[in-house]
Amino acid sequence: MPYHIGDRVRVKDWDELVSKWAMRKYCSQIFTVSRSGNRYNLQDDNGNVLSPDDISYMRWAFNDDMLDPVSDQVEPTVSFDELFAM
């Protein structure tokens, strides 16, 4: 599996997924992989793990085709020169 615990991933847009409607609320959001193996567990920035138990009558899991990697690199809003000119 390409993703490992601690990797940041984005759930693909709804139009990209061929999935159950139950996962639609997570589309385009960014999560952290908290378990990998034959399926992925994802957690939000507050530590809440998304769970198949969210919908008790339907079993689901995230797989490789549903996720895109996310870079944690952030573009600076102020240049180095501007920062020291302040």
Side-chain angles (χ1 to χ4, degrees):
M1 300 192 93
Y3 302 110
H4 304 285
I5 294 171
D7 288 351
R8 300 278 287 166
V9 294
R10 180 186 320 274
V11 177
K12 292 184 177 183
D13 292 330
W14 181 249
D15 293 339
E16 294 181 75
L17 294 179
V18 179
S19 181
K20 301 281 187 197
W21 60 269
M23 298 173 123
R24 189 174 195 157
K25 65 182 176 180
Y26 302 121
C27 289
S28 301
Q29 295 184 51
I30 297 173
F31 300 97
T32 301
V33 174
S34 62
R35 177 182 166 205
S36 62
N38 60 354
R39 66 184 178 122
Y40 294 108
N41 283 1
L42 304 180
Q43 95 181 23
D44 65 19
D45 290 339
N46 295 322
N48 301 311
V49 176
L50 308 183
S51 169
D53 299 331
D54 289 345
I55 300 167
S56 59
Y57 61 87
M58 186 182 304
R59 299 295 294 170
W60 53 266
F62 292 94
N63 64 39
D64 297 340
D65 294 330
M66 298 172 151
L67 305 174
D68 287 324
V70 172
S71 170
D72 285 336
Q73 192 169 4
V74 177
E75 293 296 321
T77 57
V78 178
S79 72
F80 185 76
D81 293 334
E82 292 170 324
L83 179 64
F84 286 100
M86 295 180 169

